[in-house]
Amino acid sequence: MSNDARYTPDEVEQRARDYWDSKRCFEVDEDPDKQKFYCLTMFPYPSGQLHMGHVRVFTISDVIARYQRMQGKHVLQPMGWDAFGMPAENAAIKRGVPPAEWTYKNIDYMRGQLKRLGYGYDWSREVTTCRPEYYRWEQWLFTRLFKKGLVYRKNSIVNWDPVDQTVLANEQVIDGRGWRSDALVERREIPQWFMKITAYADELLDNLDSMDGWPDSVKTMQRNWIGRSEGMELSFAVDGEAEPLTVFTTRPDTLMGVTYMAVAAEHPIAQKAAADNADIARFIEECKTMQAAEAAMETMEKKGMPLGVFATHPISGEKVPLWVANFVLMSYGTGAVMAVPGHDERDWEFASKHGLPIVQVVKPDDGSNIDIGAAAWTGRGVLVNSGEFDGLNFDQAFAAIAARFEAEGRGKRTVNYRLRDWGVSRQRYWGTPIPIIYCDDCGAVPVPENDLPVVLPEDVKVTGVGSPLRDMSEFVNVDCPECGKAARRETDTFDTFVESSWYFSRYASPDSKDAMLDKRESYWMPVDQYTGGIEHAILHLLYARFFQKLMRDEGLSAADEPFTNLLTQGMVLKDGAKMSKAKGNTVDPQELIERYGADTVRLFMMSTAPPELALEWSDDGVQGAHRFLKRFWHAVQAHSEAGRAPALDKSGLDAQQKELRLKTHQTIAKVSDDTGRRYKFNTAVAAVMELLNAINRFDDQSPAGRAVIQEALESCVLLLAPIVPHICHELWQQLGHSSALADESWPDVDESALQQDTVEIVVQVNGKLRGRISVAADAGKDAIAELALADENVKRFVADKTIRKTIVVPGRLVNVVV
């Protein structure tokens, strides 16, 4: 223990970390007699070094974990690495080193940074997703799902770079060209593996209603992403085709407004038409160069060509032209849509451009006029120009049309989802090998359990042209597990979201060699508090929920949902923009830690903004946080240097001493609520700063006075311990304690200290502050009013005016109305 009066963060923080490490403070096992609290942050990608966004989210989670520990909970806070992914391949290409080497080096460095920031992680549970002992189990689960029919292989459209011979993610396509090769990107249909997340669509949707610990915004995004819609499937006969064209619509009430239909470029009818028409063939080729992402298709120019083929309207019998259009996806529904330009904005845009008829078949309920020549009207109303259905509202029309089509066997009510099955194949090297072997006789065969894991070779040279796995005969060429004949191993790897969809459960049994999860999982799961960025609201969080249900149904877990409470933190901004290397507005956390210490960085992050809001970076704010810690340090030093304070005797305190105790326990009450319930760490810090100011103003070195100061300083240390744990660890010792702060409990509010003999009340005249009076805490309204009117300043503003009424709010204010 140091008695050095100077605050030297390096030394103070090193001593605290040495203690935590030597005592293994944050390593936990399973104790059924203790209430568990599983606190988790979304694990990082080992990109090379921490950025300020990391520091903020990890600090938020660490504050929550340390607070819960002080509440007596048995707290698990693990850390690991989302280690597969494209950046490692890109770095390998750029630097000429294998992705594994680059990744492991980064992990070592970033682990050191996390330890330097003092996060209370149980490092004995560290998981790294690129290690075979981890990904073995997702390969195992995949083979189990294969046997259940929950994974399958089908052709799917992707962004294809013809030069690099690889599939590109949407963000790698820049202005229609590959980010690295600059080649024109093609839409290509290739076989890929899918997981049947749609089999769980209803459960994923319904459970959201009972997830009270999640932000409404995230639940809304997931509901929209799942996109459950009730509608009808309708069949249209097509000239020259044996099979009718089936479409899905949520607006069967607009059926009589169909003036054309559109199919995807890959649709068989379009392909057939292209065989005899060079213009259509060229258009279909052009469609192949468009991005496959739905988001991109929503905003791009709507293009199409007539196919010279006609469908027959199922009610009117009129001929409806078929078009091939770039906005129709073969992978969505049947690859065909009915177009109602009078009541759909996209259809209206396309019809207007190509001179197709626009017909009104719905009018507003209130009888007002609409002009569908100017714009589509998409509201629900009363049917017009719809023959036998005229005058019906939406529900009546839906029921009538459904009844008719179901009776005729030409359609049916159905539920559709925006959610698609999860395509998990990636034509990349740095990922988990998909455990499938292809045999000419047996087809796709899952790798037997005894042969798992399929280990990814790590000593490779990545050039950026195709996956190196394809050229590795020792990896590719295997015997069929069923018939023993020569076969080929799948060279695609999993989407990295697969690894991040179950890591939280693996922390509970990180060293399990015989099972994906063991019985320890039931103690820790579900996660009590999960923290991460709002950008993961859909993909990661939805896939994790899906995986939890897969593991539950495999008998690995009893939990329906993986995360009980979710906190989505705001971004770290500088000069009003998100920090990024491209914008040149980043701040290196390592530099700040070396200059001011980890506690200063942690304090600034927690004191500047509530966790869910954006944090604007401020160099002045960092310096201010550091100055506060120095004041805090010196206040304790000054107090402890005067010797040990006597025990507190609450019976003999004077008014000033009672006032400081009141402030102390008011602060405990506020910070307890801010930290434990509201997660408003910024207001918690502000309250402790006010208490420290009150301590510094309190000039009383009597035994009773020093005892009150001792209590106040100890409270400051305990209340700030989750946020600035290093300095508090040391100051707790300075205040004369032999026990470690890490083992201390959160302070309790002494209700007797909150009892006041007198209270200060503000006095207003006509709503404006004119005075302050001190009254007995139990004074009645009449007595308070009398004292208020006797105040000299109040009397001056009332003067000879007539008092119309006097409003008294006991404990708060008096307002005199004249």
Side-chain angles (χ1 to χ4, degrees):
M1 184 173 70
S2 170
N3 287 317
D4 190 342
R6 289 180 56 245
Y7 172 45
T8 51
D10 274 355
E11 297 171 11
V12 169
E13 294 178 0
Q14 183 65 57
R15 284 194 288 273
R17 291 196 302 275
D18 288 346
Y19 178 85
W20 298 332
D21 289 344
S22 66
K23 300 296 182 183
R24 302 165 72 177
C25 284
F26 305 110
E27 293 183 19
V28 288
D29 52 14
E30 294 70 38
D31 188 341
D33 295 329
K34 294 181 179 177
Q35 183 182 356
K36 67 95 176 178
F37 189 88
Y38 185 179
C39 189
L40 185 64
T41 315
M42 294 177 187
F43 65 170
Y45 179 80
S47 56
Q49 59 183 9
L50 297 181
H51 54 67
M52 280 300 175
H54 286 134
V55 176
R56 186 179 195 203
V57 67
F58 296 152
T59 303
I60 290 169
S61 189
D62 193 52
V63 170
I64 295 171
R66 287 175 180 271
Y67 170 79
Q68 291 295 338
R69 180 187 169 95
M70 295 179 76
Q71 293 293 314
K73 305 276 183 68
H74 198 48
V75 176
L76 168 62
Q77 188 184 201
M79 179 48 69
W81 310 97
D82 190 10
F84 276 136
M86 196 168 55
E89 285 196 33
N90 296 341
I93 297 167
K94 184 177 179 180
R95 295 174 173 81
V97 297
E101 180 182 330
W102 183 83
T103 301
Y104 294 135
K105 183 179 178 181
N106 288 347
I107 287 174
D108 287 342
Y109 183 75
M110 292 174 70
R111 187 189 300 111
Q113 287 189 301
L114 292 174
K115 289 184 175 180
R116 180 66 184 86
L117 280 157
Y119 300 133
Y121 296 140
D122 180 352
W123 284 104
S124 70
R125 295 172 183 265
E126 181 180 3
V127 299
T128 304
T129 60
C130 65
R131 297 295 306 159
E133 58 268 25
Y134 179 84
Y135 62 70
R136 166 190 179 177
W137 295 110
E138 64 193 46
Q139 291 177 335
W140 172 82
L141 183 64
F142 187 84
T143 62
R144 303 282 292 185
L145 299 176
F146 180 93
K147 291 168 185 170
K148 285 184 172 180
L150 286 171
V151 298
Y152 62 93
R153 194 172 186 239
K154 72 166 187 176
N155 285 349
S156 178
I157 297 173
V158 298
N159 299 315
W160 180 258
D161 187 321
V163 172
D164 282 352
Q165 294 287 297
T166 188
V167 171
L168 299 179
N170 293 323
E171 59 270 26
Q172 291 177 303
V173 180
I174 303 170
D175 296 332
R177 295 179 178 273
W179 69 284
R180 206 179 74 86
S181 69
D182 202 35
L184 279 173
V185 172
E186 301 174 357
R187 291 170 67 185
R188 179 169 290 194
E189 191 171 351
I190 62 174
Q192 299 198 78
W193 286 96
F194 287 81
M195 300 182 82
K196 277 191 178 176
I197 190 173
T198 53
Y200 288 82
D202 278 330
E203 189 180 0
L204 288 166
L205 189 65
D206 294 343
N207 284 9
L208 290 170
D209 293 336
S210 58
M211 293 164 62
D212 297 333
W214 281 42
D216 289 340
S217 58
V218 175
K219 291 192 287 188
T220 297
M221 282 190 274
Q222 291 214 350
R223 286 192 184 96
N224 292 339
W225 187 262
I226 295 169
R228 185 181 190 277
S229 57
E230 296 183 4
M232 284 191 68
E233 280 186 0
L234 301 170
S235 295
F236 288 67
V238 178
D239 293 350
E241 297 291 330
E243 296 295 325
L245 192 60
T246 301
V247 298
F248 171 81
T249 179
T250 59
R251 295 293 304 272
D253 59 318
T254 64
L255 177 60
M256 298 306 289
V258 173
T259 60
Y260 68 97
M261 301 182 75
V263 298
E266 299 82 4
H267 196 283
I269 293 178
Q271 296 287 327
K272 186 176 177 181
D276 300 321
N277 187 314
D279 291 338
I280 294 175
R282 274 193 294 274
F283 178 76
I284 289 176
E285 282 299 310
E286 181 186 337
C287 288
K288 291 180 179 178
T289 63
M290 296 183 305
Q291 290 188 51
E294 282 182 55
M297 298 185 76
E298 285 292 326
T299 56
M300 68 187 181
E301 181 185 1
K302 308 298 185 291
K303 296 181 179 179
M305 285 193 69
L307 294 174
V309 179
F310 292 85
T312 302
H313 193 285
I315 293 179
S316 71
E318 293 178 356
K319 293 298 181 184
V320 179
L322 260 63
W323 286 60
V324 56
N326 64 353
F327 57 81
V328 183
L329 282 172
M330 194 63 209
S331 58
Y332 184 58
T334 60
V337 298
M338 69 178 209
V340 188
H343 302 284
D344 181 277
E345 291 175 354
R346 183 194 62 190
D347 296 347
W348 186 92
E349 180 187 340
F350 190 85
S352 298
K353 179 177 179 180
H354 296 285
L356 292 162
I358 301 174
V359 177
Q360 179 183 352
V361 292
V362 182
K363 68 176 183 180
D365 287 331
D366 62 5
S368 58
N369 293 322
I370 55 174
D371 181 6
I372 59 170
W377 188 74
T378 59
R380 292 180 179 181
V382 178
L383 271 62
V384 296
N385 303 322
S386 298
E388 65 189 89
F389 305 109
D390 277 356
L392 301 182
N393 64 24
F394 173 83
D395 291 332
Q396 292 166 335
F398 194 127
I401 292 171
R404 172 171 175 168
F405 274 77
E406 286 172 345
E408 296 172 352
R410 295 192 296 164
K412 61 181 180 181
R413 295 178 179 87
T414 188
V415 173
N416 205 1
Y417 295 91
R418 183 176 182 272
L419 180 70
R420 316 293 165 74
D421 281 338
W422 178 10
V424 295
S425 293
R426 295 293 181 269
Q427 293 70 44
R428 303 188 181 287
Y429 156 72
W430 190 234
T432 297
I434 295 178
I436 293 292
I437 292 170
Y438 299 107
C439 172
D440 290 340
D441 292 338
C442 304
V445 180
V447 174
E449 184 175 341
N450 291 338
D451 294 339
L452 296 176
V454 178
V455 176
L456 182 75
E458 293 190 352
D459 187 15
V460 299
K461 184 175 182 180
V462 181
T463 63
V465 180
S467 168
L469 293 178
R470 297 176 192 159
D471 302 323
M472 302 175 74
S473 59
E474 67 276 19
F475 179 84
V476 174
N477 298 323
V478 293
D479 294 335
C480 172
E482 292 191 355
C483 70
K485 291 182 180 177
R488 290 177 60 80
R489 193 186 296 283
E490 172 67 84
T491 57
D492 283 359
T493 55
F494 282 138
D495 177 7
T496 57
F497 277 114
V498 175
E499 281 83 57
S500 60
S501 294
W502 69 283
Y503 75 104
F504 40 86
S505 291
R506 184 66 179 177
Y507 281 137
S509 46
D511 52 357
S512 174
K513 292 182 172 56
D514 300 324
M516 186 173 187
L517 306 173
D518 61 27
K519 62 181 181 181
R520 292 173 289 179
E521 186 272 352
S522 63
Y523 178 79
W524 291 113
M525 288 297 291
V527 174
D528 295 281
Q529 179 64 57
Y530 196 38
T531 306
I534 189 73
E535 67 272 20
H536 299 294
I538 296 172
L539 295 182
H540 163 59
L541 289 171
L542 192 62
Y543 292 152
R545 295 181 60 215
F546 169 50
F547 245 76
Q548 182 63 37
K549 297 176 195 317
L550 293 176
M551 293 189 291
R552 178 201 61 194
D553 292 347
E554 194 59 37
L556 297 166
S557 175
D560 291 328
E561 293 288 337
F563 314 120
T564 303
N565 296 291
L566 174 69
L567 173 62
T568 53
Q569 90 284 358
M571 292 187 293
V572 180
L573 310 177
K574 189 168 187 292
D575 304 325
K578 181 182 178 181
M579 285 189 180
S580 77
K581 289 182 179 177
K583 293 174 182 171
N585 65 343
T586 58
V587 176
D588 183 4
Q590 192 64 31
E591 184 180 324
L592 286 177
I593 293 168
E594 291 171 0
R595 184 172 181 185
Y596 296 109
D599 279 343
T600 291
V601 178
R602 293 175 60 121
L603 180 63
F604 169 73
M605 285 291 185
M606 293 299 96
S607 63
T608 306
E612 71 278 10
L613 300 183
L615 182 156
E616 178 67 35
W617 185 262
S618 162
D619 293 335
D620 291 342
V622 175
Q623 294 166 15
H626 189 60
R627 285 195 298 272
F628 169 76
L629 290 182
K630 287 201 291 188
R631 285 200 303 276
F632 187 24
W633 175 270
H634 291 306
V636 174
Q637 288 290 321
H639 175 73
S640 60
E641 284 174 359
R644 189 175 183 81
L648 178 65
D649 177 6
K650 293 185 277 188
S651 63
L653 303 181
D654 63 24
Q656 286 70 34
Q657 291 159 356
K658 287 182 179 178
E659 187 176 344
L660 182 57
R661 284 207 80 222
L662 171 65
K663 182 68 175 176
T664 297
H665 288 274
Q666 285 176 333
T667 304
I668 294 173
K670 175 172 175 50
V671 176
S672 298
D673 190 48
D674 287 350
T675 305
R677 184 182 67 85
R678 301 172 65 231
Y679 290 169
K680 302 299 182 188
F681 310 116
N682 57 325
T683 55
V685 170
V688 178
M689 288 179 169
E690 287 182 15
L691 176 57
L692 186 65
N693 289 339
I695 295 170
N696 287 335
R697 288 194 300 268
F698 185 73
D699 185 15
D700 182 349
Q701 292 301 308
S702 68
R706 296 199 68 245
V708 171
I709 293 174
Q710 175 83 14
E711 182 189 38
L713 287 172
E714 287 180 354
S715 299
C716 288
V717 169
L718 291 167
L719 297 175
L720 286 179
I723 296 174
V724 286
H726 306 88
I727 190 172
C728 289
H729 170 86
E730 184 103 350
L731 294 180
W732 188 248
Q733 308 289 315
Q734 300 279 358
L735 286 168
H737 296 279
S738 57
S739 60
L741 181 61
D743 299 324
E744 290 297 320
S745 299
W746 190 255
D748 293 323
V749 176
D750 182 351
E751 295 294 339
S752 69
L754 300 178
Q755 301 300 316
Q756 296 174 263
D757 296 334
T758 59
V759 294
E760 185 180 82
I761 291 179
V762 298
V763 183
Q764 300 171 337
V765 177
N766 288 342
K768 295 183 178 179
L769 178 63
R770 299 304 185 197
R772 297 177 188 273
I773 58 173
S774 181
V775 302
D778 57 354
K781 287 187 176 182
D782 291 344
I784 295 172
E786 186 176 341
L787 285 170
L789 293 172
D791 182 87
E792 289 300 323
N793 203 45
V794 172
K795 287 163 62 177
R796 186 164 67 85
F797 281 94
V798 172
D800 57 353
K801 299 183 183 74
T802 302
I803 298 176
R804 297 166 57 194
K805 60 179 175 180
T806 304
I807 302 167
V808 179
V809 181
R812 295 184 59 191
L813 64 81
V814 176
N815 186 22
V816 181
V817 182
V818 296

